[in-house]
Structures are given as structure tokens and as C-alpha cells.
Amino acid sequence: MVGVMNIINQLPHRRMEAWKWTDVSRAVPEGMPGLSLAMAPRFTPPAGISVMQGEGATSDTVMGKLAANFAGQSWNFHVPANTHPADSLLIENLISGHGRITIKLEKGASLTVVEHHKGADKSFANIDMQIHLAEGAKLTRILVHDDPETATRISTASLTAEKDTKFEQYVLSFGGALFRLETRLYGKGEGIEAHMNGAYLLSGDKHTDMTSHTELSHPNCHIRQSVKGVVTDKARGVFQGKFHVEKEAQHTDAEMRHDALMLSDRAQIRSKPELEIYADDVACAHGNTIGALDESALFYMRQRGIPLAQAKALLTEAFLASVFDDMADEDMKASLMKQINQWLEASYGF
Amino acid sequence: MLDLSFLLFGRGNYQIDWNKIMLKINDLHAVVGEARSQILTGLSLKVPAGEVHAIMGPNGAGKSTLSYVLTGRDDYEVTEGTVELGGQNLLDMEPEERAASGLFLSFQYPLEIPGVPTMTFLKTALNAQRKARGEEEMGAPEFLKKARALAKELKIKPDMLKRPLNVGFSGGEKKRMEIFQMMMLEPSFIVMDETDSGLDVDALRIVADGVNSLRSPDRGMLIITHYQRLLDYITPDKVHVLAGGKIAASGDADFAKLLEKEGYDKYAA
């Protein structure tokens, strides 16, 4: 076991390439609540799915190792072959401490996981999720994050995906003192289809980092990733995305986009898209834009009588909406858009 | 002529002294952009309620600048002079306040607003204006009914109203959409900036019919145009030549034809 005193030394810091824009060790003062405790999440599983505590899968990331040290046993979920629970697995109360969650979908099974990440004042949370998708399984993951300006949180999900699996991820983050969402996808078979979308809306002194790492080693995989961000005040948005395509992974079709709106001179956006490709017959692309709202469009809207703040909100909402376009659950989509609206009303002031 | 009698309803209890509605521009000087180029150099003009005035002039005379100064666009700075609409000082107001007080600009190049459906945009605009005037908001059923009827008159496909505003519309469709918005919003003073550019004859007739149907004793209009063509369909009460940043000459409707024939050369100096 690692002692409390030297946890800080083990936290990722800016001199590590993958953490250069998200320095956890600096954000975490000694004695921060949750730093050496196990988390007590609340699960509402769908009918037929039960939660068991057990060893769980191991992780080799820095934060995963810390979670293994302090969280104790993992909360394990198992979806039997060809079962399709009608309801979602709801995960809440991820307030502070270290937590481990393992989700296994057997052949042809499907599941939707909905996570609410919300901390308390000055809390520290570290969640490590290990997911395995057996052949033909389908997982939809929806994550909503909204921390106080003083809370630090790292949420890592590592997935191993076998042949013909589908993974859909929708993330909506309103930031915290420091938030890192890391998604690691390891393809272990052909024909994997993954959509990994996210939006971050940050005001004040908040920070959200959306990092992903996708490794493909089999042919015919299809990956789509679109992350959009809005930063105001002194907020900081980070996007890091990597596609690693092995030479066996021919006919990979992968696209990565990050588009951000910077609405204040003091806000920051940092972006690092990376493609590492060893196969010679693939379509891999990335795009990255940072911009402001279109002044001419704003004037046009005001000339029609729409007040400036409301015009900005309409344009911003329209900018972000595409991230959630493909969501099958219309109610969930409406709920996410409503939260975006509330943020826009509060931040733009109308 | 279009049957637009239904536009007369829905004004609620809002009381306006229509006799006062008039655009009064006095000795207007304006500079544009960071370079602060002097574009308007002492422009004076009065448009009484119920009249349609045309402003013609060579390229670069300040025609579009005038429309942006009236509507309050950033980067267009008034250095001298006054502008009143219906007795209110326009220059003290934000663009959206000017719109709510009844000023409408039909843009030479209407903007595309990606991601915002036309109906959402227009309903937001209409109700923002009503709210600013202290009127009750228009409910969805009434709004839809009015919009559908008007779209039909203007030969706008219902499908276009669901699409993001002006995105992928042709030049003619965009201009028709400007007229649609104008008729939905029922402004008391209308400025049309080069509305005829990009229109074929059929579209021009639809646009002109729409504009003519809005002519009324309580509404004023300013039609800014380079060519006389639009004035074959909308007969103005007065025609002014804008040259060198001010009104260089004025006349009646026939004056436009003369200008078309003789050109603007003699006013340029």
C-alpha cells in the first residue's frame, strides 16, 4: 500500500507528456478529501443485472494503479450473452475517493451506462473503469460531469473490444478545478465501430481535459470522434486524441475532430491530435479548429430583434448540438440539450 | 396583389401614434472601420409615414453604410448629426432595440445561420421584439398559422422553414426569406438594401408584391438600389441621389428613369 504522504508524488504532473496540460499533482493539496479513501458509488442496475464486488480487471495507467491501491475491490457488472437490458445502468454518487468499476458484456449483449460525475467542495475523485466487449456486443456510455470550481476529478475508462463490437460515447462536461476524462480503446478484432463524442462548456476558472487513445490492430474498423468546446472567462479546455493503427489494421476508416469556441481573451484551448499509422490502405483524418462567434451573424440576429446574449446562446447551442445528433435516446438528448441551455443562460446572462 | 389582410390582426393592445413614425436624418457624418474612413459627410433626409423613398447612387457612395449606420452595426461610428425614428433617438439604441422599435433592414447579403432552424430563429426574434415592447409573446399555434399562410403567399416551400436559416439557399431564396421575415415581423420602418440584386423577374415580382402589400399610411420605407429596375415594380414617392456621402439631388418617381439614362457622373464631383 502507498502511504498518504507520498500520494502527491505519485500523481501525474506536467513533465509527463500525456499530462503536460493537466497537472494533477499541482491541483491537489495534501489532505484533500478523498485522496486516500475508497469511493462509495450508488448503482441502479437494470433488471437482471446485479453488482458484485470482486477482484476486477487490473489497469496499467498511473491513475488506475492508484485506484487499485485505495479503492479496494472493484464493483463488477456482467451482462450475459445476447441479453439486452431495457433500462440503463445508472451510476451516481461519484463524489470523492477512488473507485473501480468493471463491466463485462458477453457475446451479442448490449448495455447503456449513464454516469453522473458531481463532486463536493475541494473533493478529489479518481474513477477507473475497465470494460470488456465480447464479439458483437454493444455499449453506449453517457457521461455528465459538473464539479465545483474546487474539485479535482480523473475518470479513466479502458475498453477492450472484440470483433464486430459497437461503442458509443457521449460526454457533457461543465468542468471542475481539474477534470480529466480519458478513454482508452483497444481493438482486439475486426469490424469494430466506435463513436466517441463530447462537449465541454467551461466558465470561470474551470478546466476540462478530454483525452483519448485508440489502438487498432485488425482490419475494417470504423471510428468517428467529435469533441466540441466552449470556453469563457479564464477557463481551460484540453483535447488530446490519438489513433494508433497497426499494419494489420487495413481498411481502417477513422476521423477525429476537435472544434472550439473561445469567447474570452483569457481563456485557453490546447489541442493535440495524433495519428500513428503503420497500415498502408486506410482513411485516417483529423481536424482542429478554434474560433469565435461570427460577428456578422450576431449583428444579423440583433437586427431582427434578438438581444446579443440570446443571439450568442443560439449560435453556441447550434455549434454544440451536432455532438449529440446521433443519440438514439431522444429523452436523454433533450435532457443534455436542456443542461446546455441552462449553462448558456447562466454564462451569457439573459 | 397578395391578400395579406390577416397581417392586420395580432397587434394586441399595443398603441402607437402612427402619425409620428417617420425617419428624420439630420447632417449625418459617419466613419467606418479602424481606418475611420469618412463615408457619410452630412446626409440629411426625411421620410414621412406612408411614403416610400428610394436612394440611388454610384458604387461607393455610402448606400450600404447608411443602412448599417441606421441599424447600429459595430465599426460604423457616427461622428456628427442625429437620426430619429418616430421621435426616438436611434443612435442611443442597441441594434436589437432599434429592431424592437420597428426598424427592419433587408440585407443585401443575408447571413447564413448554421444550426438554427428558420422557424426557431424567427419565433425567437418576434417574441424578443414583443417582450422588449412590453407585449405578450405570440404562442406557437398562432405563429405557425401565420408563418404557413405567409410562406404560401411568397411561394416558400414549407421544407425551407425547417432548414437552418439561409443555409444552402440560393440568392433569390435568401431575398424572398428577407421579405418573409419582414412580413412576419411587421416593422414600422423598412430599409431595403439592394434587394433586387440576385433576383430573376419572377422572384422580383413576388418580392415587390410583398413590399407593396406592406405599404400603408403608418409605415415608411427606404429603398436603396443601384439600378432602377426594382422601381418599375415599387413606385417610390421620392427618389434621392446619394453621392459623396450626402444627398446630392432629389426628385419624383420619374427622376429614377432619368438617372438610369444619364448615369451618376454629374453628381460624382
Side-chain angles (χ1 to χ4, degrees):
Chain A
M1 291 288 261
V2 182
V4 181
M5 290 307 288
N6 54 16
I7 292 176
I8 308 267
N9 298 332
Q10 301 197 25
L11 292 170
H13 50 77
R14 64 171 64 176
R15 287 180 306 282
M16 298 161 74
E17 176 63 20
W19 295 84
K20 63 180 174 181
W21 294 320
T22 298
D23 190 328
V24 183
S25 72
R26 277 167 63 101
V28 177
E30 249 170 66
M32 196 176 198
L35 209 46
S36 58
L37 298 173
M39 184 176 267
R42 183 169 63 239
F43 300 101
T44 314
I49 306 296
S50 51
V51 53
M52 313 266 279
Q53 279 213 281
E55 277 305 304
T58 54
S59 165
D60 57 359
T61 63
V62 185
M63 295 310 294
K65 283 176 185 160
L66 278 176
N69 253 315
F70 294 102
Q73 289 194 308
S74 165
W75 304 91
N76 299 337
F77 296 86
H78 180 247
V79 186
N82 298 313
T83 47
H84 308 280
D87 297 317
S88 308
L89 162 61
L90 183 61
I91 307 179
E92 298 164 294
N93 218 42
L94 301 162
I95 299 170
S96 77
H98 299 266
R100 292 172 65 208
I101 297 168
T102 303
I103 299 174
K104 236 181 139 170
L105 271 65
E106 298 293 355
K107 274 189 179 178
S110 67
L111 182 70
T112 297
V113 180
V114 178
E115 301 166 37
H116 289 287
H117 293 247
K118 193 177 179 73
D121 193 30
K122 294 180 184 154
S123 61
F124 171 85
N126 174 32
I127 300 116
D128 186 73
M129 200 182 251
Q130 299 289 324
I131 299 168
H132 180 75
L133 305 180
E135 187 179 333
K138 182 187 173 184
L139 178 74
T140 303
R141 183 185 187 213
I142 296 159
L143 188 154
V144 180
H145 165 249
D146 189 6
D147 265 325
E149 216 167 42
T150 52
T152 293
R153 172 181 304 267
I154 294 92
S155 170
T156 314
S158 303
L159 295 92
T160 46
E162 291 183 27
K163 193 181 165 195
D164 295 330
T165 48
K166 277 189 181 164
F167 173 53
E168 267 180 45
Q169 176 167 279
Y170 299 99
V171 178
L172 176 59
S173 170
F174 297 101
L178 202 79
F179 173 56
R180 159 90 149 210
L181 175 92
E182 189 165 324
T183 310
R184 308 183 70 83
L185 175 63
Y186 300 92
K188 303 288 183 195
E190 279 193 50
I192 296 163
E193 207 175 296
H195 285 220
M196 295 177 282
N197 287 1
Y200 56 86
L201 293 85
L202 311 175
S203 60
D205 204 13
K206 289 191 168 185
H207 177 116
T208 281
D209 168 342
M210 291 200 186
T211 290
S212 61
H213 179 97
T214 304
E215 255 182 63
L216 302 172
S217 46
H218 295 77
N220 301 316
C221 294
H222 183 97
I223 314 290
R224 286 290 175 272
Q225 183 174 25
S226 169
V227 172
K228 290 192 171 186
V230 179
V231 287
T232 68
D233 306 326
K234 286 160 66 184
R236 302 174 307 278
V238 175
F239 170 83
Q240 301 185 113
K242 181 166 186 175
F243 289 161
H244 180 111
V245 181
E246 291 288 353
K247 69 172 187 288
E248 294 80 12
Q250 296 293 10
H251 306 292
T252 293
D253 178 356
E255 205 177 288
M256 179 195 299
R257 283 212 64 84
H258 172 244
D259 301 283
L261 281 179
M262 254 174 86
L263 301 182
S264 135
D265 292 343
R266 292 179 303 163
Q268 291 177 20
I269 296 283
R270 298 191 188 278
S271 177
K272 189 173 74 170
E274 272 183 286
L275 303 179
E276 198 175 327
I277 300 165
Y278 300 98
D280 55 10
D281 186 12
V282 298
C284 287
H286 71 79
N288 186 59
T289 62
I290 296 174
L293 291 171
D294 180 350
E295 291 292 335
S296 303
L298 285 175
F299 172 68
Y300 183 79
M301 296 171 92
R302 296 176 81 188
Q303 205 303 301
R304 295 296 183 256
I306 302 174
L308 180 60
Q310 209 178 344
K312 282 183 177 175
L314 266 176
L315 286 185
T316 309
E317 188 190 332
F319 166 76
L320 294 169
S322 68
V323 165
F324 305 107
D325 264 357
D326 295 335
M327 274 183 91
D329 184 341
E330 290 291 335
D331 290 345
M332 180 59 75
K333 192 201 286 190
S335 152
L336 297 183
M337 290 313 292
K338 193 177 164 195
Q339 291 180 62
I340 288 176
N341 263 306
Q342 285 166 346
W343 185 90
L344 290 171
E345 270 190 49
S347 305
Y348 293 177
F350 68 91
Chain B
M1 279 290 279
L2 307 175
D3 176 18
L4 294 158
S5 53
F6 61 90
L7 289 177
L8 298 173
F9 301 103
R11 283 211 170 265
N13 297 318
Y14 184 44
Q15 294 290 322
I16 296 178
D17 180 5
W18 292 105
N19 294 323
K20 281 171 68 183
I21 297 290
M22 190 178 82
L23 182 69
K24 201 187 284 178
I25 304 173
N26 188 40
D27 194 29
L28 189 64
H29 290 67
V31 295
V32 179
E34 275 178 24
R36 294 176 61 84
S37 328
Q38 186 85 39
I39 307 290
L40 299 182
T41 59
L43 188 148
S44 296
L45 181 69
K46 283 180 189 171
V47 184
E51 291 196 4
V52 174
H53 287 206
I55 292 208
M56 302 182 72
N59 289 326
K63 299 197 298 293
S64 284
T65 296
L66 175 61
S67 70
Y68 289 141
V69 167
L70 291 178
T71 48
R73 188 171 190 151
D74 283 349
D75 287 344
Y76 290 76
E77 192 194 330
V78 172
T79 52
E80 221 181 310
T82 57
V83 180
E84 280 178 31
L85 182 67
Q88 284 182 291
N89 177 3
L90 265 193
L91 301 181
D92 274 355
M93 297 158 83
E94 296 291 335
E96 55 267 36
E97 294 171 327
R98 300 181 195 204
S101 78
L103 181 64
F104 182 96
L105 169 64
S106 171
F107 283 60
Q108 181 175 7
Y109 303 107
L111 272 292
E112 297 189 359
I113 313 287
V116 182
T118 302
M119 289 296 254
T120 307
F121 174 83
L122 200 47
K123 187 158 178 282
T124 307
L126 180 70
N127 281 331
Q129 288 200 19
R130 288 185 161 220
K131 195 176 160 195
R133 292 194 293 256
E135 298 168 20
E136 235 180 86
E137 293 197 358
M138 187 186 273
E142 192 190 345
F143 175 80
L144 272 175
K145 198 175 158 195
K146 188 173 168 175
R148 284 195 187 126
L150 199 49
K152 207 174 158 194
E153 299 285 353
L154 290 171
K155 296 193 168 57
I156 291 171
K157 291 184 211 106
D159 166 59
M160 267 171 76
L161 300 179
K162 291 178 198 154
R163 281 157 56 188
L165 183 64
N166 292 331
V167 176
F169 293 10
S170 71
E173 285 173 329
K174 285 179 185 171
K175 292 298 171 75
R176 226 179 304 165
M177 197 52 81
E178 293 290 280
I179 305 302
F180 175 70
Q181 292 183 46
M182 188 169 94
M183 295 173 89
M184 285 296 290
L185 295 170
E186 301 176 61
S188 55
F189 197 93
I190 295 163
V191 180
M192 307 189 71
D193 189 3
E194 307 279 2
T195 295
D196 52 334
S197 67
L199 289 185
D200 60 30
V201 175
D202 289 338
L204 191 64
R205 189 165 287 127
I206 291 171
V207 164
D209 283 351
V211 173
N212 283 326
S213 74
L214 285 178
R215 289 180 90 146
S216 85
D218 26 88
R219 187 174 275 132
M221 294 190 199
L222 198 57
I223 296 178
I224 295 172
T225 182
H226 185 77
Y227 301 104
Q228 188 262 340
R229 190 172 73 134
L230 182 64
L231 305 181
D232 285 340
Y233 298 87
I234 307 168
T235 312
D237 295 289
K238 280 213 168 81
V239 175
H240 311 276
V241 177
L242 175 57
K246 56 175 91 169
I247 301 296
S250 300
D252 58 14
D254 292 335
F255 185 40
K257 294 196 174 77
L258 185 71
L259 284 169
E260 181 91 343
K261 212 170 100 191
E262 296 189 343
Y264 301 110
D265 286 355
K266 69 173 169 182
Y267 305 102

